Amino acid sequence: MRAFAPGSVTAVFAPGETADQSKGASVAIADGMIADVQQARDETDRDGPLVTVGGEPTAFEPVELALGKLDLPDAAVRADLTAEVPIGRGFGASGAATLATVLAVNEEFDLSMTREDLLEVAHRAEVEAGTGLGDVFVQNRGGLVVGDGGEPQKFARETTIEYSSFGSIATEGALADDDLMARVQREGTAVLDALPDDPALADLTRKSWAFAQAIDLPTEEVREAVEAVEAAGGTASMAMVGETVFAVGVEGVLENQTEVCPEGAELR
């Protein structure tokens, strides 16, 4: 059984009311993660599920944690992941992989779990692994999502997004950096509180860039890419959290092009 979950680009965020939540403004993109789940045929010399990325066995902690929370024999599960976005670079790849996997497992093994319960399993696994706080809620819905995991608002957007990625920023390390998170709390909350009721993606991107600079995350490569987009008449910012630039309002400035994903994760 195959399932897809869109990647997500977080423009701005802030810690939520509890340690396992965040609030923010993020957009789901058409590029994401595909999980192909099946009964493993060879369980010899293996303890736990087999997870591969691009055909190579990989320790993918949030996926393995999620599988461990489901009522099935771990060693009997094989999850083959295909990445359409760079992993560890601000596209929510860990959340997308985890959400796609639990959706596919539920169908493949007839677990009869609700969508809400599967979403919670994926979210808890991400929190425990330190790879994300709210990506799966965006990836579950699609579109532009503003708010927190409880009652986020979804806005339909038909927008082309360009992006370039230069490197990774460890999400776990960023979330554990008290000084950084204090800046994120202050600056992110101010931006989110000031957003209009129906935010335009270009305006959100401008506010996102001011936020990124205020928390002192952009590298020189990121700054140069943003300047190139602005020189071409577009708007760009930095994905949270990764050394990745996303842009709207330009064509052919950054190396990759995608669209807003209108719907959330689905079986394929």
Side-chain angles (χ1 to χ4, degrees):
M1 178 58 61
R2 286 162 60 92
F4 165 82
S8 57
V9 175
T10 296
V12 58
F13 76 105
E17 295 182 0
T18 62
D20 62 350
Q21 286 189 342
S22 68
K23 54 187 176 181
S26 306
V27 60
I29 61 174
D31 301 340
M33 298 288 291
I34 298 170
D36 188 347
V37 171
Q38 56 191 296
Q39 182 86 24
R41 296 180 180 178
D42 183 7
E43 299 178 23
T44 304
D45 297 327
R46 183 162 54 82
D47 180 21
L50 174 62
V51 179
T52 71
V53 177
E56 295 295 326
T58 305
F60 212 119
E61 187 178 5
V63 172
E64 293 173 350
L65 286 171
L67 291 173
K69 296 176 184 298
L70 301 177
D71 186 19
L72 46 80
D74 286 351
V77 181
R78 178 186 177 105
D80 297 308
L81 305 175
T82 301
E84 299 176 339
V85 291
I87 295 175
R89 298 194 176 189
F91 291 96
S94 294
T98 306
L99 181 57
T101 297
V102 297
L103 290 176
V105 165
N106 184 60
E107 191 73 13
E108 178 70 17
F109 292 90
D110 296 320
L111 301 184
S112 300
M113 294 178 65
T114 66
R115 179 87 170 203
E116 290 74 18
D117 286 343
L118 292 169
L119 182 62
E120 184 65 17
V121 167
H123 172 59
R124 291 297 173 191
E126 270 249 277
V127 171
E128 288 181 31
T131 52
L133 289 177
D135 291 331
V136 296
F137 297 112
V138 179
Q139 294 156 351
N140 181 58
R141 287 173 173 253
L144 170 63
V145 178
V146 179
D148 58 32
E151 293 294 334
Q153 290 182 283
K154 173 182 174 179
F155 302 93
R157 295 289 181 263
E158 296 182 1
T159 308
T160 298
I161 296 174
E162 293 196 347
Y163 65 87
S164 289
S165 184
F166 308 106
S168 62
I169 296 175
T171 302
E172 185 175 5
L175 295 178
D177 185 328
D178 291 340
D179 290 339
L180 172 60
M181 293 309 293
R183 297 197 301 272
V184 168
Q185 173 76 65
R186 181 180 64 252
E187 303 294 340
T189 298
V191 172
L192 293 168
D193 287 348
L195 285 180
D197 292 338
D198 190 6
L201 196 49
D203 183 52
L204 173 61
T205 304
R206 277 190 290 271
K207 289 179 169 61
S208 169
W209 182 231
F211 166 72
Q213 294 178 94
I215 63 175
D216 197 28
L217 271 188
T219 63
E220 188 59 33
E221 282 185 301
V222 166
R223 293 181 184 278
E224 290 175 358
V226 170
E227 290 172 1
V229 170
E230 292 176 342
T235 308
S237 186
M238 180 180 184
M240 299 291 139
V241 181
E243 197 179 353
T244 292
V245 173
F246 69 96
V248 295
V250 290
E251 184 174 351
V253 177
L254 303 181
E255 60 184 331
N256 301 292
Q257 189 175 92
T258 187
E259 305 288 335
V260 176
C261 182
E263 303 297 334
E266 61 183 9
L267 297 172
R268 285 191 169 178

